[in-house]
Amino acid sequence: GGGNDQGSYYFSLNYFNQQGTLINTYLKRYTIRANTTYKIGNRIRVGENMAYSSTDNPQANGGILVEGSAIGFSFREPPIIPVYDIHGNFAGSAPKGLSNGRNPVSIQQTTSNDRGNAGRLFGNVFAEVDIVKGLTFRTSFGGENYTGWNHYFHIPDPYDAEPQYTTPTFTEQSYYGYDWTWTNTASYNWTKGDHALKVVAGEEAYKFTNHNLGGTTQAYFSSDPNYVNLSTGSGTTTNYSNENSQQNYNPGSAGYVAPMGAGESLVSYFARADYAFKDKYLIGGTFRRDGSSKFITNRWGNFYSASIGWRISQEDFMKDVTWINDLKIRASYGIMGNQFNALSTNSYTLFGSNKQTTFYDTSGSGSTPIYGLAISQYGNPNAKWEQDGSANVGFDLTILHGNLTISADWYNKSIKDLLYQITLPGTEGAATVPAYNVSRMKDHGIDVMVNYKTDITRDLKLDVTGTFTTIHNEITKVAANGANYFDLDARRFNGSYIVRNAVGHPVSAFYGYKIIGFWNSQAEIDAADAAAKAASKGTVTTYQTDEGVGRFRYADGNKQGWIDNNSKEFLGNPSPKFTYGANIGLDYKNFDFSIFLYGVYGNDIWNNVKWWTDFYGGAFVGAAASKTALYHSWTFQNLGKGAKAPIQDATNGSNESTNTLPNSYFVEKGSYLRAKNITLGYTFNNVHASKATFNRIRIYLQAANLFTITKYSGVDPEISVNSTNGQNGATDFGVDEGSYANPRQYLFGLQVGF
């Protein structure tokens, strides 16, 4: 890099190679970047920021969800199974009574030839012109163009009790697409005396499109990676191609087929004005008009915001308050539009064909199927922009000669016309459902940031920043038809959902039966049955289905005297009550030290790994493979004292009083405190080496995720919100099926300045 008064330039090459936690997983990335900025005369400036990256990543497990991945099976495989048998083959769970857990090492080794490559060209170019004093026009055009390819080859494993593939199967996919954003703005800055005004007006256009192509075939003579492709398999080839929206774009996921679409486009017009008088009375306002291709009848939405501020510390009556360096109070309110939850083709009813479902042999010959069509997506032409209204009141305070800064805000967010893909009756068919403006939700809380910096001694300097944010989320409306909840995510609970989104409760609340202990004797069961029979006047003869000694006893949440579907309760909230963090920096002479701590408190996690490991009939008879199942189950010796899991019943280990209904056994506290980053460094200044002189050389040692304090029994309380855990993202999260843990990492670095 370099430059002068007329321009600057920067050029870089980067190579990144990281091995994954799982064997045969890695990420290799090559990046080349070039930035330039030049002046043309005194009024014009032009520049660009361009980069190209090439990524090599095998896409571990071919995009399979965690339940069926090496991570999921590492929890579920019985520990008695070795990696290899006595013949040197991968050992498996085919012997009777060993559940269906697959060998995770075998999974990773047999997919070691999976490949994934992606190329991405991205960046922007811009030009600025000073038209007159204070008035500047800027145009910027940026975006990306990307391509990718991947393939997966799955070999049947005869040593598995429940092999995923019964014949060699090969899948190959490719994708390409682009997006661009063109922004044009005019900004005007005016100052006169105590007055200052800044006005910005502009227009922005956005376009996105993506294309996918892929195929799958089976039955291969050889598994040699140089032989296997879509043409060499002898099985039936299944292929697809489509054009789809960014919302569904997930390059590299196996078996990915999205609804047909024509990309997305967005046009926005906006203006903003900020006025200050004596730098102590501040007022601002924003207006924007957005148009989205996702809508037809209500394509355009108008949105606005306004803010006011008062720097009290500049007032005359504050002149004698010397311990306050700066104090400003502020408030704002605005409405922002959102359209991300709608499909790109949300307004249109689409039709598609499928050989298995829409082709029909009208002649009855069995060899002349007639092409047919069926609805693949319903359209909602009346959908409109979701409106997110947000109010904010806060203050900024600086005291102690500028060493202590405090910023605090109270926020209240209310979302109306929330876009959501509602559930239609089964009689409507299996077509994709569009988003409707049916729900409302609100959030409120406080957000505090405190920064303190001081020189403890002449050589020892301290800089501490702390953050604290409370979160309260509540659904206020679900649907226009009067429904006050919708359920999601049945997992393997026989059609009973574990998540309920209901009015008066937070998003993705866990829902099911509350455990109040164990059935410790037949006498307890008989007494409860008699009471249930009396309460129901003989219509119910048992308090609880599948009740038995040593099994869970559920609470009568409906206070009716027996357990049925109405006895379910809300069991937990995946959203935290508050989050907090601390960034601490210490400098002593040439040494520097920093630590970043981050914590979450008050959230719950649905630990679904327990379904596979803690119950004798979790998948197959004999599935229980955990320390809890072995040492902390109910037995006739402990009668439930100190027990966590129910009796390991070999005759009926899977039933409604243990694990086939969602219950509170799976809900755990998810609070944690984690050291996200710790760095220790030392700097050498003005280093002379041979004929070279270095202004600065810094060496450092860095650790990420060094320690975590938590009571959560799973591998990692910081589970991600994605399709491998929650099934529906924003409305179904906090479910742990055995997620990819954040690894502990150590990094040694060297920085050189010339």
Side-chain angles (χ1 to χ4, degrees):
N4 51 37
D5 293 340
Q6 292 301 113
S8 62
Y9 66 92
Y10 174 81
F11 178 81
S12 68
L13 293 170
N14 178 269
Y15 171 66
F16 179 83
N17 186 346
Q18 184 179 47
Q19 300 299 308
T21 301
L22 301 179
I23 59 174
N24 296 321
T25 61
Y26 58 86
L27 172 61
K28 297 179 181 179
R29 183 173 58 238
Y30 310 83
T31 304
I32 181 171
R33 181 185 296 275
N35 303 346
T36 57
T37 303
Y38 293 102
K39 291 182 179 179
I40 302 175
N42 295 323
R43 293 175 176 264
I44 301 175
R45 295 167 296 279
V46 297
E48 55 78 29
N49 180 350
M50 301 296 291
Y52 177 79
S53 68
S54 177
T55 302
D56 179 6
N57 180 266
Q59 299 290 327
N61 300 311
I64 301 171
L65 296 183
V66 166
E67 178 187 307
S69 70
I71 297 175
F73 281 117
S74 67
F75 296 104
R76 294 160 47 186
E77 186 191 39
I80 194 175
I81 300 176
V83 175
Y84 300 97
D85 62 21
I86 59 176
H87 300 292
N89 301 309
F90 285 112
S93 54
K96 185 177 180 180
L98 290 180
S99 83
N100 68 341
R102 298 173 60 203
N103 187 328
V105 178
S106 172
I107 294 173
Q108 290 305 110
Q109 292 286 46
T110 55
T111 59
S112 61
N113 290 313
D114 289 355
R115 291 291 181 267
N117 297 94
R120 181 170 176 248
L121 175 65
F122 57 99
N124 68 82
V125 295
F126 74 91
E128 289 182 341
V129 180
D130 297 329
I131 301 175
V132 295
K133 182 180 179 181
L135 179 61
T136 301
F137 173 79
R138 177 184 173 91
T139 183
S140 173
F141 184 87
E144 64 176 327
N145 186 289
Y146 53 85
T147 61
W149 163 88
N150 48 67
H151 75 236
Y152 315 106
F153 186 55
H154 301 277
I155 304 173
D157 192 339
Y159 302 100
D160 287 331
E162 199 176 70
Q164 184 178 8
Y165 293 89
T166 58
T167 183
T169 302
F170 177 78
T171 298
E172 186 168 3
Q173 303 168 323
S174 65
Y175 58 89
Y176 73 93
Y178 65 85
D179 66 75
W180 55 260
T181 302
W182 188 17
T183 306
N184 297 283
T185 60
S187 59
Y188 180 67
N189 290 285
W190 174 82
T191 57
K192 185 175 183 181
D194 296 328
H195 304 274
L197 176 67
K198 181 177 181 179
V199 179
V200 178
E203 174 269 348
E204 185 172 84
Y206 168 81
K207 174 68 176 178
F208 168 86
T209 189
N210 179 61
H211 302 266
N212 296 276
L213 176 67
T216 299
T217 192
Q218 305 85 24
Y220 285 85
F221 171 77
S222 170
S223 59
D224 188 321
N226 296 313
Y227 170 79
V228 175
N229 57 48
L230 289 176
S231 300
T232 54
S234 60
T236 301
T237 300
T238 302
N239 54 55
Y240 70 88
S241 63
N242 58 49
E243 181 182 32
N244 51 275
S245 72
Q246 187 174 22
Q247 175 174 318
N248 296 304
Y249 166 56
N250 183 17
S253 61
Y256 170 67
V257 180
M260 295 292 289
E264 300 175 11
S265 58
L266 184 70
V267 175
S268 302
Y269 302 94
F270 52 89
R272 178 178 178 86
D274 293 290
Y275 170 75
F277 177 68
K278 292 186 176 181
D279 198 32
K280 60 182 178 179
Y281 306 115
L282 313 169
I283 185 170
T286 300
F287 175 82
R288 61 181 301 137
R289 180 171 172 81
D290 299 303
S292 172
S293 63
K294 295 181 177 182
F295 308 126
I296 294 180
T297 306
N298 305 289
R299 174 152 294 173
W300 294 90
N302 299 320
F303 310 102
Y304 61 88
S305 67
S307 63
I308 56 173
W310 179 23
R311 182 164 277 111
I312 303 176
S313 55
Q314 297 293 323
E315 296 290 353
D316 292 338
F317 61 80
M318 293 291 292
K319 295 293 178 63
D320 296 330
V321 187
T322 57
W323 58 277
I324 295 180
N325 303 103
D326 186 49
L327 174 61
K328 181 175 72 173
I329 60 175
R330 47 189 164 69
S332 65
Y333 178 78
I335 295 179
M336 180 176 64
N338 180 33
Q339 44 96 45
F340 290 111
N341 291 334
L343 300 172
S344 62
T345 55
N346 201 75
S347 298
Y348 302 95
T349 297
L350 305 179
F351 293 83
S353 64
N354 184 288
K355 294 179 181 179
Q356 285 75 37
T357 58
T358 66
F359 284 37
Y360 189 74
D361 187 359
T362 56
S363 67
S365 66
S367 60
T368 56
I370 303 301
Y371 183 89
L373 293 170
I375 294 178
S376 59
Q377 176 186 298
Y378 294 106
N380 177 22
N382 296 317
K384 58 184 178 181
W385 285 83
E386 178 183 306
Q387 298 186 53
D388 300 357
S390 182
N392 188 92
V393 178
F395 70 87
D396 301 311
L397 172 66
T398 302
I399 57 176
L400 302 180
H401 306 290
N403 287 351
L404 179 62
T405 300
I406 303 172
S407 294
D409 293 87
W410 170 85
Y411 67 89
N412 184 59
K413 183 177 181 180
S414 179
I415 302 174
K416 69 175 184 178
D417 297 328
L418 192 149
L419 289 162
Y420 181 72
Q421 291 174 267
I422 64 174
T423 301
L424 295 179
T427 54
E428 296 287 344
T432 300
V433 180
Y436 290 84
N437 301 94
V438 294
S439 303
R440 292 187 180 184
M441 183 175 64
K442 63 181 181 181
D443 300 289
H444 66 82
I446 61 172
D447 193 355
V448 180
M449 187 279 292
V450 179
N451 174 259
Y452 178 71
K453 54 186 177 181
T454 185
D455 294 344
I456 300 175
T457 67
R458 186 178 65 178
D459 296 323
L460 181 60
K461 305 178 188 300
L462 172 68
D463 192 332
V464 180
T465 300
T467 59
F468 179 83
T469 301
T470 66
I471 305 167
H472 181 82
N473 170 261
E474 181 182 343
I475 299 172
T476 57
K477 182 183 177 182
V478 167
N481 61 3
N484 60 4
Y485 72 88
F486 62 92
D487 295 334
L488 295 171
D489 205 349
R491 298 282 161 165
R492 293 176 179 262
F493 292 102
N494 294 344
S496 292
Y497 297 96
I498 67 176
V499 165
R500 171 160 290 188
N501 291 277
V503 172
H505 294 273
V507 171
S508 192
F510 302 134
Y511 191 70
Y513 296 93
K514 182 179 180 180
I515 298 171
I516 56 175
F518 300 96
W519 297 106
N520 289 317
S521 68
Q522 188 60 45
E524 285 186 12
I525 297 174
D526 293 341
D529 290 347
K533 186 174 182 180
S536 66
K537 297 181 180 180
T539 59
V540 173
T541 58
T542 59
Y543 174 83
Q544 180 177 315
T545 302
D546 290 336
E547 59 196 13
V549 176
R551 297 176 182 174
F552 290 136
R553 180 172 182 170
Y554 298 143
D556 177 16
N558 200 36
K559 307 299 181 184
Q560 61 187 6
W562 66 91
I563 301 299
D564 61 13
N565 192 56
N566 297 318
S567 304
K568 295 179 183 178
E569 303 180 40
F570 286 93
L571 304 176
N573 178 6
S575 296
K577 292 181 179 179
F578 61 83
T579 63
Y580 58 98
N583 203 331
I584 304 171
L586 282 169
D587 291 335
Y588 179 72
K589 294 185 177 179
N590 288 34
F591 288 96
D592 61 272
F593 171 81
S594 65
I595 180 172
F596 173 49
L597 302 170
Y598 178 75
V600 170
Y601 178 81
N603 66 305
D604 297 295
I605 297 175
W606 186 284
N607 187 351
N608 212 59
V609 174
K610 291 180 175 181
W611 192 93
W612 301 97
T613 62
D614 292 2
F615 301 91
Y616 194 77
F620 285 173
V621 172
S626 67
K627 182 178 180 180
T628 297
L630 182 60
Y631 294 105
H632 301 291
S633 292
W634 190 100
T635 67
F636 284 96
Q637 287 72 37
N638 63 35
L639 294 179
K641 293 182 180 179
K644 299 177 182 179
I647 187 173
Q648 300 299 323
D649 188 347
T651 59
N652 189 13
S654 184
N655 57 74
E656 291 192 7
S657 289
T658 55
N659 67 330
T660 64
L661 289 180
N663 58 60
S664 57
Y665 180 74
F666 303 96
V667 180
E668 296 187 40
K669 298 300 181 183
S671 303
Y672 68 89
L673 172 65
R674 168 165 286 171
K676 301 285 286 186
N677 190 285
I678 299 178
T679 303
L680 176 64
Y682 185 84
T683 301
F684 301 89
N685 295 312
N686 300 319
V687 179
H688 301 279
S690 185
K691 296 182 179 180
T693 300
F694 304 99
N695 295 331
R696 179 175 180 267
I697 296 178
R698 178 175 178 262
I699 58 174
Y700 62 93
L701 179 64
Q702 187 177 86
N705 305 315
L706 187 61
F707 65 82
T708 302
I709 301 173
T710 184
K711 292 183 178 180
Y712 179 59
S713 67
V715 171
D716 192 343
E718 192 178 359
I719 61 174
S720 59
V721 181
N722 54 42
S723 60
T724 61
N725 293 299
Q727 298 295 309
N728 294 278
T731 54
D732 177 11
F733 56 91
V735 181
D736 185 2
E737 193 74 69
S739 58
Y740 201 121
N742 290 286
R744 184 178 293 121
Q745 297 178 329
Y746 299 95
L747 175 68
F748 177 78
L750 174 67
Q751 296 175 333
V752 179
F754 297 93

